[in-house]
């Protein structure tokens, strides 16, 4: 990708239907890197060019200070950042074998190089230039972030229309790199907007969300939750999406996450407020963030991708 250097040949492609939260997820990455308890290490995020730097600064300010959401992507934008991290003392620190035993290799240094495009370009058999550019970008990426919005799927039941054609085109574009029936990529499947009552109440009702530190919900089996939610959203295309993804990517290269770019509503003491866990309100038709922005499971899908790529897992 012109203008964006790559470290180690690893590039992550971002993918999702309209309203899946791609732009907000990107905006939350900077804030997630500043996580207060260092549960996913310490990070420095360095922009690769002026446009990426401007996006990093403006979008994180929009979330954290203005408490509004970044405008949805209207045209293709190339963005890139270098992530330098230290995973010492975290569950994500990989273990490397060496003479006499194992040792930690907690330093991480990679490029997150993205083509942010309007979700509409992923609609089946879209023929515009943005669609061709996005497929090329995804095909030549090592890892993929696929964002799935259960709230939009519950309302419109059309998310499969933004996945099916893309998978078909990727298979054709990567035909000489397929490993058996599988695409060569590692992929993190992110169920976005987990803070939304429409999603979180279902998770609680189904027994999938358990209280973690400071009352923060923990989903220990996100893959199982995805399948259960697909059944609970009766009549949706979510079940088809799960089957299509698992058919397209090797079982050891696909991971599921429940994520929220803005996090949950909290009490004055910083604990999740289970009486008002939603963190968004409508003011005169505009969606505004109520409390502090504390991204939930935003860095984790990226770290999982990079650890998978670095370990060369199959």
């Amino acid at each position: 990708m012109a203008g964006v250097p790559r470290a180690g040949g690893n590039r992550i492609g971002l993918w999702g239907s309209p309203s899946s939260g791609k732009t907000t997820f990107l905006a939350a990455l900077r804030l997630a890197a500043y996580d207060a308890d260092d549960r996913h290490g310490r990070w420095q995020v360095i922009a690769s060019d002026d446009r990426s730097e401007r996006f990093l600064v403006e979008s994180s300010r929009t979330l954290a200070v203005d408490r509004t959401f970044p405008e949805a992507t209207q045209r293709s934008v190339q963005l890139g950042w270098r992530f330098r991290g230290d995973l010492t003392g975290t569950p994500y620190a990989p273990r490397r074998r060496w003479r006499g035993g194992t040792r930690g290799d907690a330093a991480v240094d990679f490029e997150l190089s993205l083509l942010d495009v309007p979700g509409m370009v992923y609609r089946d058999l879209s023929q515009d230039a943005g669609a061709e550019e996005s497929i090329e970008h995804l095909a030549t990426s090592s890892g993929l972030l696929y964002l799935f919005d259960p709230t939009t799927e519950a309302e419109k039941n059309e998310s499969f229309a933004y996945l099916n054609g893309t998978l078909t085109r990727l298979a054709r574009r990567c035909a000489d790199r397929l490993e058996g029936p599988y695409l060569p990529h590692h992929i993190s499947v992110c169920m976005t907007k987990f803070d939304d009552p429409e999603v979180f109440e279902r998770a609680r009702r189904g027994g999938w969300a358990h209280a973690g530190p400071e009352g923060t919900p923990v989903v220990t089996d996100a893959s199982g939750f995805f399948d259960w939610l697909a059944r609970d959203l009766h009549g949706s295309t979510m079940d088809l999406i799960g089957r299509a993804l698992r058919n397209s990517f090797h079982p050891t290269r696909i991971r599921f996450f429940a994520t929220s770019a803005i996090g949950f509503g909290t009490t004055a003491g910083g604990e999740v407020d289970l009486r008002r866990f939603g963190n968004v309100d409508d003011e005169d038709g505009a969606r505004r963030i109520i409390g502090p922005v504390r991204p939930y499971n935003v860095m984790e899908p990226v770290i999982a991708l990079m650890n998978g790529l670095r370990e060369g897992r199959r």
Side-chain angles (χ1 to χ4, degrees), residues 167 170-172 174-175 177-185 243-251 314:
L167 285 177
L170 276 177
R172 180 181 177 185
C174 299
R177 296 164 52 211
L178 293 180
E179 300 178 7
Y182 302 116
L183 290 163
H185 307 77
R243 285 187 277 143
L245 288 169
R246 290 188 176 97
N247 187 71
S248 299
F249 299 94
H250 193 278
R314 251 226 62 169

Side-chain angles (χ1 to χ4, degrees), residues 42-46 82-86 107-110:
R42 292 182 178 273
W43 294 87
Q44 184 62 258
V45 186
I46 306 164
R82 185 177 183 180
F83 281 68
R84 301 196 68 176
D86 180 0
V108 184
D109 187 349
F110 65 88

Side-chain angles (χ1 to χ4, degrees), residues 217-264:
V218 175
V219 179
T220 56
D221 181 10
S223 176
F225 175 53
F226 186 98
D227 294 336
W228 179 88
L229 187 58
R231 295 190 295 272
D232 203 49
L233 292 177
H234 184 67
S236 76
T237 64
M238 189 173 176
D239 179 63
L240 270 175
I241 289 171
R243 285 187 277 143
L245 288 169
R246 290 188 176 97
N247 187 71
S248 299
F249 299 94
H250 193 278
T252 63
R253 292 186 174 186
I254 179 171
R255 293 191 61 186
F256 291 79
F257 298 86
T259 72
S260 170
I262 62 173
F264 299 89

Side-chain angles (χ1 to χ4, degrees), residues 2-19:
V4 181
R6 291 158 58 182
N10 289 330
R11 179 167 71 181
I12 294 177
L14 182 68
W15 170 26
S17 58
S19 302

Side-chain angles (χ1 to χ4, degrees), residues 129-191:
E132 295 300 321
E133 187 180 19
S134 65
I135 294 296
E136 176 68 15
H137 183 80
L138 296 179
T140 55
S141 296
S142 305
L144 301 176
L145 286 168
Y146 173 67
L147 305 190
F148 172 79
D149 174 14
T151 65
T152 299
E153 175 63 13
E155 178 184 353
K156 298 183 178 180
N157 298 331
E158 63 176 17
S159 298
F160 184 67
Y162 295 91
L163 174 120
N164 185 39
T166 300
L167 285 177
T168 302
R169 287 177 167 182
L170 276 177
R172 180 181 177 185
R173 175 67 176 75
C174 299
D176 60 346
R177 296 164 52 211
L178 293 180
E179 300 178 7
Y182 302 116
L183 290 163
H185 307 77
H186 290 252
I187 183 170
S188 288
V189 179
C190 303
M191 292 173 281

